PDB file of all heavy atoms in Angstrom:
ATOM      1  N   VAL A   1      21.053 -74.272 -56.003  1.00 97.00           N
ATOM      2  CA  VAL A   1      21.086 -74.317 -57.364  1.00 97.00           C
ATOM      3  C   VAL A   1      20.495 -73.023 -58.000  1.00 97.00           C
ATOM      4  O   VAL A   1      19.454 -72.667 -57.608  1.00 97.00           O
ATOM      5  CB  VAL A   1      20.425 -75.470 -58.071  1.00 97.00           C
ATOM      6  CG1 VAL A   1      20.539 -75.440 -59.564  1.00 97.00           C
ATOM      7  CG2 VAL A   1      21.053 -76.811 -57.590  1.00 97.00           C
ATOM      8  N   PHE A   2      21.237 -72.353 -58.849  1.00 97.00           N
ATOM      9  CA  PHE A   2      20.786 -71.178 -59.586  1.00 97.00           C
ATOM     10  C   PHE A   2      20.812 -71.486 -61.004  1.00 97.00           C
ATOM     11  O   PHE A   2      21.826 -71.937 -61.546  1.00 97.00           O
ATOM     12  CB  PHE A   2      21.558 -69.914 -59.194  1.00 97.00           C
ATOM     13  CG  PHE A   2      21.162 -68.811 -60.014  1.00 97.00           C
ATOM     14  CD1 PHE A   2      19.948 -68.120 -59.830  1.00 97.00           C
ATOM     15  CD2 PHE A   2      21.988 -68.251 -61.112  1.00 97.00           C
ATOM     16  CE1 PHE A   2      19.524 -67.061 -60.580  1.00 97.00           C
ATOM     17  CE2 PHE A   2      21.710 -67.143 -61.814  1.00 97.00           C
ATOM     18  CZ  PHE A   2      20.363 -66.493 -61.594  1.00 97.00           C
ATOM     19  N   ILE A   3      19.692 -71.173 -61.743  1.00 97.00           N
ATOM     20  CA  ILE A   3      19.520 -71.486 -63.174  1.00 97.00           C
ATOM     21  C   ILE A   3      19.075 -70.150 -63.793  1.00 97.00           C
ATOM     22  O   ILE A   3      18.233 -69.446 -63.311  1.00 97.00           O
ATOM     23  CB  ILE A   3      18.477 -72.575 -63.428  1.00 97.00           C
ATOM     24  CG1 ILE A   3      18.856 -73.897 -62.690  1.00 97.00           C
ATOM     25  CG2 ILE A   3      18.326 -72.860 -64.900  1.00 97.00           C
ATOM     26  CD1 ILE A   3      17.730 -74.891 -62.690  1.00 97.00           C
ATOM     27  N   ALA A   4      19.757 -69.837 -64.940  1.00 97.00           N
ATOM     28  CA  ALA A   4      19.448 -68.666 -65.656  1.00 97.00           C
ATOM     29  C   ALA A   4      19.154 -68.913 -67.101  1.00 97.00           C
ATOM     30  O   ALA A   4      19.889 -69.678 -67.757  1.00 97.00           O
ATOM     31  CB  ALA A   4      20.483 -67.582 -65.408  1.00 97.00           C
ATOM     32  N   THR A   5      18.316 -68.009 -67.691  1.00 95.00           N
ATOM     33  CA  THR A   5      18.092 -68.213 -69.190  1.00 95.00           C
ATOM     34  C   THR A   5      18.214 -66.772 -69.702  1.00 95.00           C
ATOM     35  O   THR A   5      17.451 -65.822 -69.161  1.00 95.00           O
ATOM     36  CB  THR A   5      16.733 -68.817 -69.432  1.00 95.00           C
ATOM     37  OG1 THR A   5      16.569 -70.047 -68.948  1.00 95.00           O
ATOM     38  CG2 THR A   5      16.352 -68.686 -70.839  1.00 95.00           C
ATOM     39  N   ASP A   6      18.973 -66.506 -70.726  1.00 92.00           N
ATOM     40  CA  ASP A   6      19.075 -65.273 -71.315  1.00 92.00           C
ATOM     41  C   ASP A   6      19.379 -64.110 -70.268  1.00 92.00           C
ATOM     42  O   ASP A   6      18.676 -63.044 -70.266  1.00 92.00           O
ATOM     43  CB  ASP A   6      17.775 -64.871 -72.137  1.00 92.00           C
ATOM     44  CG  ASP A   6      17.704 -65.706 -73.332  1.00 92.00           C
ATOM     45  OD1 ASP A   6      18.648 -66.126 -73.862  1.00 92.00           O
ATOM     46  OD2 ASP A   6      16.538 -65.953 -73.752  1.00 92.00           O
ATOM     47  N   MET A   7      20.159 -64.369 -69.388  1.00 96.00           N
ATOM     48  CA  MET A   7      20.684 -63.403 -68.379  1.00 96.00           C
ATOM     49  C   MET A   7      22.154 -62.977 -68.588  1.00 96.00           C
ATOM     50  O   MET A   7      22.983 -63.724 -69.001  1.00 96.00           O
ATOM     51  CB  MET A   7      20.505 -64.081 -66.919  1.00 96.00           C
ATOM     52  CG  MET A   7      21.004 -63.131 -65.814  1.00 96.00           C
ATOM     53  SD  MET A   7      20.831 -63.901 -64.217  1.00 96.00           S
ATOM     54  CE  MET A   7      19.090 -63.717 -63.942  1.00 96.00           C
ATOM     55  N   ASN A   8      22.363 -61.740 -68.314  1.00 97.00           N
ATOM     56  CA  ASN A   8      23.775 -61.225 -68.475  1.00 97.00           C
ATOM     57  C   ASN A   8      24.687 -61.882 -67.500  1.00 97.00           C
ATOM     58  O   ASN A   8      24.398 -61.956 -66.267  1.00 97.00           O
ATOM     59  CB  ASN A   8      23.775 -59.730 -68.260  1.00 97.00           C
ATOM     60  CG  ASN A   8      23.128 -58.885 -69.380  1.00 97.00           C
ATOM     61  OD1 ASN A   8      22.793 -59.534 -70.434  1.00 97.00           O
ATOM     62  ND2 ASN A   8      22.990 -57.586 -69.182  1.00 97.00           N
ATOM     63  N   LEU A   9      25.770 -62.301 -67.888  1.00 98.00           N
ATOM     64  CA  LEU A   9      26.814 -62.974 -67.017  1.00 98.00           C
ATOM     65  C   LEU A   9      28.104 -62.140 -67.119  1.00 98.00           C
ATOM     66  O   LEU A   9      28.672 -61.983 -68.187  1.00 98.00           O
ATOM     67  CB  LEU A   9      27.050 -64.408 -67.663  1.00 98.00           C
ATOM     68  CG  LEU A   9      28.232 -65.216 -66.987  1.00 98.00           C
ATOM     69  CD1 LEU A   9      27.968 -65.495 -65.519  1.00 98.00           C
ATOM     70  CD2 LEU A   9      28.359 -66.568 -67.718  1.00 98.00           C
ATOM     71  N   TYR A  10      28.380 -61.546 -65.960  1.00 97.00           N
ATOM     72  CA  TYR A  10      29.537 -60.726 -65.894  1.00 97.00           C
ATOM     73  C   TYR A  10      30.716 -61.403 -65.234  1.00 97.00           C
ATOM     74  O   TYR A  10      30.604 -62.110 -64.276  1.00 97.00           O
ATOM     75  CB  TYR A  10      29.315 -59.455 -64.996  1.00 97.00           C
ATOM     76  CG  TYR A  10      28.281 -58.522 -65.609  1.00 97.00           C
ATOM     77  CD1 TYR A  10      26.850 -58.690 -65.380  1.00 97.00           C
ATOM     78  CD2 TYR A  10      28.649 -57.458 -66.352  1.00 97.00           C
ATOM     79  CE1 TYR A  10      25.930 -57.912 -66.018  1.00 97.00           C
ATOM     80  CE2 TYR A  10      27.678 -56.505 -66.885  1.00 97.00           C
ATOM     81  CZ  TYR A  10      26.352 -56.720 -66.711  1.00 97.00           C
ATOM     82  OH  TYR A  10      25.424 -55.971 -67.336  1.00 97.00           O
ATOM     83  N   SER A  11      31.960 -61.400 -66.021  1.00 95.00           N
ATOM     84  CA  SER A  11      32.947 -62.367 -65.652  1.00 95.00           C
ATOM     85  C   SER A  11      34.307 -61.667 -65.217  1.00 95.00           C
ATOM     86  O   SER A  11      35.142 -62.318 -64.796  1.00 95.00           O
ATOM     87  CB  SER A  11      33.207 -63.203 -66.867  1.00 95.00           C
ATOM     88  OG  SER A  11      33.636 -62.558 -67.998  1.00 95.00           O
ATOM     89  N   ASP A  12      34.431 -60.307 -65.546  1.00 93.00           N
ATOM     90  CA  ASP A  12      35.802 -59.693 -65.339  1.00 93.00           C
ATOM     91  C   ASP A  12      35.645 -58.456 -64.545  1.00 93.00           C
ATOM     92  O   ASP A  12      35.071 -57.516 -65.078  1.00 93.00           O
ATOM     93  CB  ASP A  12      36.393 -59.450 -66.736  1.00 93.00           C
ATOM     94  CG  ASP A  12      37.823 -59.125 -66.647  1.00 93.00           C
ATOM     95  OD1 ASP A  12      38.307 -58.717 -65.514  1.00 93.00           O
ATOM     96  OD2 ASP A  12      38.557 -59.200 -67.643  1.00 93.00           O
ATOM     97  N   VAL A  13      36.090 -58.425 -63.276  1.00 94.00           N
ATOM     98  CA  VAL A  13      36.136 -57.313 -62.545  1.00 94.00           C
ATOM     99  C   VAL A  13      36.844 -56.147 -62.955  1.00 94.00           C
ATOM    100  O   VAL A  13      36.480 -54.942 -62.704  1.00 94.00           O
ATOM    101  CB  VAL A  13      36.512 -57.684 -61.007  1.00 94.00           C
ATOM    102  CG1 VAL A  13      38.021 -57.957 -60.951  1.00 94.00           C
ATOM    103  CG2 VAL A  13      36.113 -56.619 -60.003  1.00 94.00           C
ATOM    104  N   ARG A  14      37.805 -56.442 -63.752  1.00 93.00           N
ATOM    105  CA  ARG A  14      38.575 -55.301 -64.542  1.00 93.00           C
ATOM    106  C   ARG A  14      37.786 -54.627 -65.557  1.00 93.00           C
ATOM    107  O   ARG A  14      38.144 -53.485 -65.979  1.00 93.00           O
ATOM    108  CB  ARG A  14      39.914 -55.883 -65.059  1.00 93.00           C
ATOM    109  CG  ARG A  14      40.801 -56.452 -63.908  1.00 93.00           C
ATOM    110  CD  ARG A  14      41.920 -57.197 -64.557  1.00 93.00           C
ATOM    111  NE  ARG A  14      41.330 -58.294 -65.331  1.00 93.00           N
ATOM    112  CZ  ARG A  14      42.115 -59.110 -66.168  1.00 93.00           C
ATOM    113  NH1 ARG A  14      43.448 -58.970 -66.192  1.00 93.00           N
ATOM    114  NH2 ARG A  14      41.562 -60.166 -66.875  1.00 93.00           N
ATOM    115  N   HIS A  15      36.832 -55.274 -66.204  1.00 92.00           N
ATOM    116  CA  HIS A  15      36.027 -54.692 -67.154  1.00 92.00           C
ATOM    117  C   HIS A  15      34.549 -54.920 -66.820  1.00 92.00           C
ATOM    118  O   HIS A  15      33.948 -55.892 -67.324  1.00 92.00           O
ATOM    119  CB  HIS A  15      36.351 -55.368 -68.440  1.00 92.00           C
ATOM    120  CG  HIS A  15      37.734 -55.179 -68.974  1.00 92.00           C
ATOM    121  ND1 HIS A  15      38.289 -54.107 -69.544  1.00 92.00           N
ATOM    122  CD2 HIS A  15      38.903 -56.036 -68.867  1.00 92.00           C
ATOM    123  CE1 HIS A  15      39.533 -54.279 -69.753  1.00 92.00           C
ATOM    124  NE2 HIS A  15      39.917 -55.436 -69.374  1.00 92.00           N
ATOM    125  N   THR A  16      34.069 -54.109 -65.918  1.00 93.00           N
ATOM    126  CA  THR A  16      32.670 -54.449 -65.350  1.00 93.00           C
ATOM    127  C   THR A  16      31.544 -54.180 -66.416  1.00 93.00           C
ATOM    128  O   THR A  16      30.446 -54.640 -66.078  1.00 93.00           O
ATOM    129  CB  THR A  16      32.426 -53.455 -64.238  1.00 93.00           C
ATOM    130  OG1 THR A  16      32.618 -52.076 -64.626  1.00 93.00           O
ATOM    131  CG2 THR A  16      33.358 -53.745 -63.027  1.00 93.00           C
ATOM    132  N   GLY A  17      31.796 -53.633 -67.467  1.00 91.00           N
ATOM    133  CA  GLY A  17      30.737 -53.436 -68.554  1.00 91.00           C
ATOM    134  C   GLY A  17      30.737 -54.589 -69.564  1.00 91.00           C
ATOM    135  O   GLY A  17      29.770 -54.699 -70.335  1.00 91.00           O
ATOM    136  N   TRP A  18      31.731 -55.548 -69.432  1.00 93.00           N
ATOM    137  CA  TRP A  18      31.684 -56.681 -70.299  1.00 93.00           C
ATOM    138  C   TRP A  18      30.819 -57.803 -69.786  1.00 93.00           C
ATOM    139  O   TRP A  18      30.935 -58.119 -68.583  1.00 93.00           O
ATOM    140  CB  TRP A  18      33.109 -57.139 -70.558  1.00 93.00           C
ATOM    141  CG  TRP A  18      34.020 -56.261 -71.355  1.00 93.00           C
ATOM    142  CD1 TRP A  18      33.724 -55.084 -71.966  1.00 93.00           C
ATOM    143  CD2 TRP A  18      35.423 -56.506 -71.664  1.00 93.00           C
ATOM    144  NE1 TRP A  18      34.802 -54.626 -72.529  1.00 93.00           N
ATOM    145  CE2 TRP A  18      35.857 -55.314 -72.430  1.00 93.00           C
ATOM    146  CE3 TRP A  18      36.277 -57.498 -71.374  1.00 93.00           C
ATOM    147  CZ2 TRP A  18      37.141 -55.315 -73.020  1.00 93.00           C
ATOM    148  CZ3 TRP A  18      37.610 -57.415 -71.856  1.00 93.00           C
ATOM    149  CH2 TRP A  18      38.038 -56.301 -72.675  1.00 93.00           C
ATOM    150  N   TYR A  19      30.082 -58.328 -70.640  1.00 94.00           N
ATOM    151  CA  TYR A  19      29.280 -59.491 -70.207  1.00 94.00           C
ATOM    152  C   TYR A  19      28.982 -60.423 -71.408  1.00 94.00           C
ATOM    153  O   TYR A  19      29.023 -59.954 -72.614  1.00 94.00           O
ATOM    154  CB  TYR A  19      27.903 -58.969 -69.581  1.00 94.00           C
ATOM    155  CG  TYR A  19      27.032 -58.296 -70.485  1.00 94.00           C
ATOM    156  CD1 TYR A  19      26.144 -58.942 -71.280  1.00 94.00           C
ATOM    157  CD2 TYR A  19      27.075 -56.893 -70.634  1.00 94.00           C
ATOM    158  CE1 TYR A  19      25.236 -58.277 -72.208  1.00 94.00           C
ATOM    159  CE2 TYR A  19      26.225 -56.213 -71.479  1.00 94.00           C
ATOM    160  CZ  TYR A  19      25.280 -56.882 -72.291  1.00 94.00           C
ATOM    161  OH  TYR A  19      24.537 -56.251 -73.236  1.00 94.00           O
ATOM    162  N   LYS A  20      28.504 -61.529 -71.099  1.00 95.00           N
ATOM    163  CA  LYS A  20      28.031 -62.514 -72.091  1.00 95.00           C
ATOM    164  C   LYS A  20      26.570 -62.791 -71.789  1.00 95.00           C
ATOM    165  O   LYS A  20      26.131 -62.591 -70.655  1.00 95.00           O
ATOM    166  CB  LYS A  20      28.855 -63.766 -72.142  1.00 95.00           C
ATOM    167  CG  LYS A  20      30.244 -63.554 -72.760  1.00 95.00           C
ATOM    168  CD  LYS A  20      30.273 -62.846 -74.061  1.00 95.00           C
ATOM    169  CE  LYS A  20      31.664 -62.441 -74.482  1.00 95.00           C
ATOM    170  NZ  LYS A  20      31.673 -61.711 -75.722  1.00 95.00           N
ATOM    171  N   HIS A  21      25.815 -63.416 -72.679  1.00 94.00           N
ATOM    172  CA  HIS A  21      24.426 -63.586 -72.506  1.00 94.00           C
ATOM    173  C   HIS A  21      24.123 -65.068 -72.901  1.00 94.00           C
ATOM    174  O   HIS A  21      23.539 -65.314 -73.980  1.00 94.00           O
ATOM    175  CB  HIS A  21      23.654 -62.668 -73.443  1.00 94.00           C
ATOM    176  CG  HIS A  21      22.183 -62.314 -73.123  1.00 94.00           C
ATOM    177  ND1 HIS A  21      21.867 -61.593 -71.962  1.00 94.00           N
ATOM    178  CD2 HIS A  21      21.135 -62.634 -73.679  1.00 94.00           C
ATOM    179  CE1 HIS A  21      20.628 -61.484 -71.943  1.00 94.00           C
ATOM    180  NE2 HIS A  21      20.084 -62.250 -72.893  1.00 94.00           N
ATOM    181  N   PRO A  22      24.455 -65.983 -72.103  1.00 96.00           N
ATOM    182  CA  PRO A  22      24.235 -67.355 -72.360  1.00 96.00           C
ATOM    183  C   PRO A  22      22.844 -67.756 -72.591  1.00 96.00           C
ATOM    184  O   PRO A  22      21.947 -67.092 -71.906  1.00 96.00           O
ATOM    185  CB  PRO A  22      24.885 -68.190 -71.214  1.00 96.00           C
ATOM    186  CG  PRO A  22      25.690 -67.214 -70.577  1.00 96.00           C
ATOM    187  CD  PRO A  22      25.156 -65.796 -70.708  1.00 96.00           C
ATOM    188  N   ASP A  23      22.437 -68.642 -73.496  1.00 96.00           N
ATOM    189  CA  ASP A  23      21.081 -69.093 -73.616  1.00 96.00           C
ATOM    190  C   ASP A  23      20.612 -69.828 -72.312  1.00 96.00           C
ATOM    191  O   ASP A  23      19.387 -69.672 -71.958  1.00 96.00           O
ATOM    192  CB  ASP A  23      20.974 -70.069 -74.744  1.00 96.00           C
ATOM    193  CG  ASP A  23      21.215 -69.421 -76.152  1.00 96.00           C
ATOM    194  OD1 ASP A  23      20.689 -68.288 -76.248  1.00 96.00           O
ATOM    195  OD2 ASP A  23      21.891 -69.893 -76.987  1.00 96.00           O
ATOM    196  N   TRP A  24      21.475 -70.526 -71.643  1.00 97.00           N
ATOM    197  CA  TRP A  24      21.162 -71.214 -70.437  1.00 97.00           C
ATOM    198  C   TRP A  24      22.461 -71.533 -69.647  1.00 97.00           C
ATOM    199  O   TRP A  24      23.349 -71.916 -70.289  1.00 97.00           O
ATOM    200  CB  TRP A  24      20.413 -72.507 -70.841  1.00 97.00           C
ATOM    201  CG  TRP A  24      19.792 -73.203 -69.569  1.00 97.00           C
ATOM    202  CD1 TRP A  24      18.421 -73.171 -69.223  1.00 97.00           C
ATOM    203  CD2 TRP A  24      20.480 -74.267 -68.806  1.00 97.00           C
ATOM    204  NE1 TRP A  24      18.339 -74.015 -68.071  1.00 97.00           N
ATOM    205  CE2 TRP A  24      19.407 -74.629 -67.771  1.00 97.00           C
ATOM    206  CE3 TRP A  24      21.709 -74.761 -68.685  1.00 97.00           C
ATOM    207  CZ2 TRP A  24      19.784 -75.668 -66.785  1.00 97.00           C
ATOM    208  CZ3 TRP A  24      22.042 -75.660 -67.762  1.00 97.00           C
ATOM    209  CH2 TRP A  24      21.039 -76.042 -66.831  1.00 97.00           C
ATOM    210  N   PHE A  25      22.366 -71.297 -68.325  1.00 98.00           N
ATOM    211  CA  PHE A  25      23.496 -71.767 -67.562  1.00 98.00           C
ATOM    212  C   PHE A  25      22.970 -72.122 -66.159  1.00 98.00           C
ATOM    213  O   PHE A  25      21.880 -71.663 -65.680  1.00 98.00           O
ATOM    214  CB  PHE A  25      24.666 -70.802 -67.514  1.00 98.00           C
ATOM    215  CG  PHE A  25      24.404 -69.504 -66.830  1.00 98.00           C
ATOM    216  CD1 PHE A  25      24.703 -69.200 -65.525  1.00 98.00           C
ATOM    217  CD2 PHE A  25      23.889 -68.306 -67.535  1.00 98.00           C
ATOM    218  CE1 PHE A  25      24.563 -68.144 -64.771  1.00 98.00           C
ATOM    219  CE2 PHE A  25      23.596 -67.129 -66.803  1.00 98.00           C
ATOM    220  CZ  PHE A  25      23.910 -67.002 -65.424  1.00 98.00           C
ATOM    221  N   ALA A  26      23.763 -72.956 -65.458  1.00 98.00           N
ATOM    222  CA  ALA A  26      23.455 -73.327 -64.130  1.00 98.00           C
ATOM    223  C   ALA A  26      24.729 -73.162 -63.204  1.00 98.00           C
ATOM    224  O   ALA A  26      25.772 -73.521 -63.657  1.00 98.00           O
ATOM    225  CB  ALA A  26      22.971 -74.705 -64.072  1.00 98.00           C
ATOM    226  N   VAL A  27      24.422 -72.796 -62.020  1.00 98.00           N
ATOM    227  CA  VAL A  27      25.512 -72.676 -60.961  1.00 98.00           C
ATOM    228  C   VAL A  27      25.149 -73.532 -59.734  1.00 98.00           C
ATOM    229  O   VAL A  27      23.993 -73.527 -59.394  1.00 98.00           O
ATOM    230  CB  VAL A  27      25.700 -71.259 -60.461  1.00 98.00           C
ATOM    231  CG1 VAL A  27      26.956 -71.117 -59.598  1.00 98.00           C
ATOM    232  CG2 VAL A  27      25.813 -70.195 -61.669  1.00 98.00           C
ATOM    233  N   VAL A  28      25.931 -74.438 -59.278  1.00 97.00           N
ATOM    234  CA  VAL A  28      25.574 -75.327 -58.200  1.00 97.00           C
ATOM    235  C   VAL A  28      26.567 -74.884 -56.999  1.00 97.00           C
ATOM    236  O   VAL A  28      27.643 -74.366 -57.068  1.00 97.00           O
ATOM    237  CB  VAL A  28      25.864 -76.727 -58.580  1.00 97.00           C
ATOM    238  CG1 VAL A  28      24.898 -77.251 -59.611  1.00 97.00           C
ATOM    239  CG2 VAL A  28      27.394 -77.050 -58.929  1.00 97.00           C
ATOM    240  N   GLY A  29      25.943 -75.089 -55.767  1.00 96.00           N
ATOM    241  CA  GLY A  29      26.686 -74.701 -54.607  1.00 96.00           C
ATOM    242  C   GLY A  29      26.556 -73.122 -54.240  1.00 96.00           C
ATOM    243  O   GLY A  29      27.349 -72.706 -53.489  1.00 96.00           O
ATOM    244  N   VAL A  30      25.618 -72.550 -54.902  1.00 95.00           N
ATOM    245  CA  VAL A  30      25.407 -71.112 -54.655  1.00 95.00           C
ATOM    246  C   VAL A  30      23.925 -70.965 -54.241  1.00 95.00           C
ATOM    247  O   VAL A  30      22.947 -71.746 -54.507  1.00 95.00           O
ATOM    248  CB  VAL A  30      25.582 -70.295 -55.932  1.00 95.00           C
ATOM    249  CG1 VAL A  30      24.505 -70.439 -56.986  1.00 95.00           C
ATOM    250  CG2 VAL A  30      25.738 -68.700 -55.587  1.00 95.00           C
ATOM    251  N   ASP A  31      23.581 -69.936 -53.389  1.00 94.00           N
ATOM    252  CA  ASP A  31      22.124 -69.692 -52.966  1.00 94.00           C
ATOM    253  C   ASP A  31      21.267 -69.460 -54.158  1.00 94.00           C
ATOM    254  O   ASP A  31      21.657 -68.699 -55.145  1.00 94.00           O
ATOM    255  CB  ASP A  31      22.152 -68.486 -52.003  1.00 94.00           C
ATOM    256  CG  ASP A  31      22.739 -68.784 -50.695  1.00 94.00           C
ATOM    257  OD1 ASP A  31      22.595 -70.050 -50.233  1.00 94.00           O
ATOM    258  OD2 ASP A  31      23.309 -67.899 -50.005  1.00 94.00           O
ATOM    259  N   ARG A  32      20.074 -70.035 -54.169  1.00 92.00           N
ATOM    260  CA  ARG A  32      19.183 -69.815 -55.254  1.00 92.00           C
ATOM    261  C   ARG A  32      18.790 -68.406 -55.432  1.00 92.00           C
ATOM    262  O   ARG A  32      18.682 -67.860 -56.506  1.00 92.00           O
ATOM    263  CB  ARG A  32      17.903 -70.715 -55.066  1.00 92.00           C
ATOM    264  CG  ARG A  32      16.831 -70.567 -56.067  1.00 92.00           C
ATOM    265  CD  ARG A  32      15.771 -71.513 -55.836  1.00 92.00           C
ATOM    266  NE  ARG A  32      15.038 -71.110 -54.602  1.00 92.00           N
ATOM    267  CZ  ARG A  32      13.984 -70.288 -54.520  1.00 92.00           C
ATOM    268  NH1 ARG A  32      13.558 -69.690 -55.633  1.00 92.00           N
ATOM    269  NH2 ARG A  32      13.376 -70.052 -53.449  1.00 92.00           N
ATOM    270  N   LEU A  33      18.630 -67.648 -54.257  1.00 89.00           N
ATOM    271  CA  LEU A  33      18.277 -66.225 -54.244  1.00 89.00           C
ATOM    272  C   LEU A  33      19.536 -65.458 -53.931  1.00 89.00           C
ATOM    273  O   LEU A  33      20.374 -65.875 -53.067  1.00 89.00           O
ATOM    274  CB  LEU A  33      17.275 -65.995 -53.270  1.00 89.00           C
ATOM    275  CG  LEU A  33      15.974 -66.582 -53.488  1.00 89.00           C
ATOM    276  CD1 LEU A  33      14.996 -66.281 -52.314  1.00 89.00           C
ATOM    277  CD2 LEU A  33      15.296 -66.231 -54.852  1.00 89.00           C
ATOM    278  N   TYR A  34      19.688 -64.246 -54.465  1.00 85.00           N
ATOM    279  CA  TYR A  34      20.835 -63.387 -54.205  1.00 85.00           C
ATOM    280  C   TYR A  34      20.784 -62.915 -52.697  1.00 85.00           C
ATOM    281  O   TYR A  34      19.806 -62.398 -52.207  1.00 85.00           O
ATOM    282  CB  TYR A  34      20.888 -62.145 -55.059  1.00 85.00           C
ATOM    283  CG  TYR A  34      22.067 -61.294 -54.913  1.00 85.00           C
ATOM    284  CD1 TYR A  34      23.395 -61.767 -55.177  1.00 85.00           C
ATOM    285  CD2 TYR A  34      21.839 -59.916 -54.366  1.00 85.00           C
ATOM    286  CE1 TYR A  34      24.429 -60.906 -54.972  1.00 85.00           C
ATOM    287  CE2 TYR A  34      23.018 -59.152 -54.222  1.00 85.00           C
ATOM    288  CZ  TYR A  34      24.255 -59.630 -54.355  1.00 85.00           C
ATOM    289  OH  TYR A  34      25.416 -58.779 -54.275  1.00 85.00           O
ATOM    290  N   GLU A  35      21.893 -63.297 -52.019  1.00 80.00           N
ATOM    291  CA  GLU A  35      22.035 -62.953 -50.535  1.00 80.00           C
ATOM    292  C   GLU A  35      20.753 -63.565 -49.825  1.00 80.00           C
ATOM    293  O   GLU A  35      20.277 -63.036 -48.831  1.00 80.00           O
ATOM    294  CB  GLU A  35      22.119 -61.503 -50.378  1.00 80.00           C
ATOM    295  CG  GLU A  35      23.404 -60.942 -50.924  1.00 80.00           C
ATOM    296  CD  GLU A  35      23.634 -59.305 -50.500  1.00 80.00           C
ATOM    297  OE1 GLU A  35      22.588 -58.756 -50.224  1.00 80.00           O
ATOM    298  OE2 GLU A  35      24.698 -58.945 -50.599  1.00 80.00           O
ATOM    299  N   GLN A  36      20.221 -64.637 -50.384  1.00 79.00           N
ATOM    300  CA  GLN A  36      19.119 -65.423 -49.727  1.00 79.00           C
ATOM    301  C   GLN A  36      17.908 -64.702 -49.610  1.00 79.00           C
ATOM    302  O   GLN A  36      16.979 -65.155 -48.822  1.00 79.00           O
ATOM    303  CB  GLN A  36      19.599 -65.924 -48.320  1.00 79.00           C
ATOM    304  CG  GLN A  36      20.846 -66.969 -48.391  1.00 79.00           C
ATOM    305  CD  GLN A  36      21.216 -67.444 -47.009  1.00 79.00           C
ATOM    306  OE1 GLN A  36      20.910 -66.824 -45.990  1.00 79.00           O
ATOM    307  NE2 GLN A  36      21.855 -68.632 -46.939  1.00 79.00           N
ATOM    308  N   GLN A  37      17.743 -63.661 -50.391  1.00 81.00           N
ATOM    309  CA  GLN A  37      16.532 -62.861 -50.177  1.00 81.00           C
ATOM    310  C   GLN A  37      15.863 -62.300 -51.404  1.00 81.00           C
ATOM    311  O   GLN A  37      14.769 -61.739 -51.428  1.00 81.00           O
ATOM    312  CB  GLN A  37      16.747 -61.747 -49.167  1.00 81.00           C
ATOM    313  CG  GLN A  37      17.763 -60.766 -49.509  1.00 81.00           C
ATOM    314  CD  GLN A  37      18.112 -59.762 -48.477  1.00 81.00           C
ATOM    315  OE1 GLN A  37      17.400 -59.685 -47.512  1.00 81.00           O
ATOM    316  NE2 GLN A  37      19.142 -58.978 -48.713  1.00 81.00           N
TER     317      GLN A  37
END
């Protein structure tokens, strides 16, 4: 489980500079740490 608060969320590989800044979001089924480290 990865949980983020006020973190940039990049969603479009065609526009790598575009991002949103959710107040809170959670991702399940992903490593808690990036590349497990």
Side-chain angles (χ1 to χ4, degrees):
V1 176
F2 174 68
I3 302 169
T5 298
D6 290 331
M7 176 179 283
N8 290 352
L9 173 62
Y10 293 86
S11 61
D12 192 342
V13 68
R14 298 167 301 176
H15 301 280
T16 57
W18 289 0
Y19 65 87
K20 294 305 175 186
H21 202 70
D23 291 317
W24 188 95
F25 70 92
V27 190
V28 295
V30 71
D31 289 325
R32 181 176 65 88
L33 298 177
Y34 182 65
E35 296 184 342
Q36 300 183 335
Q37 61 183 352

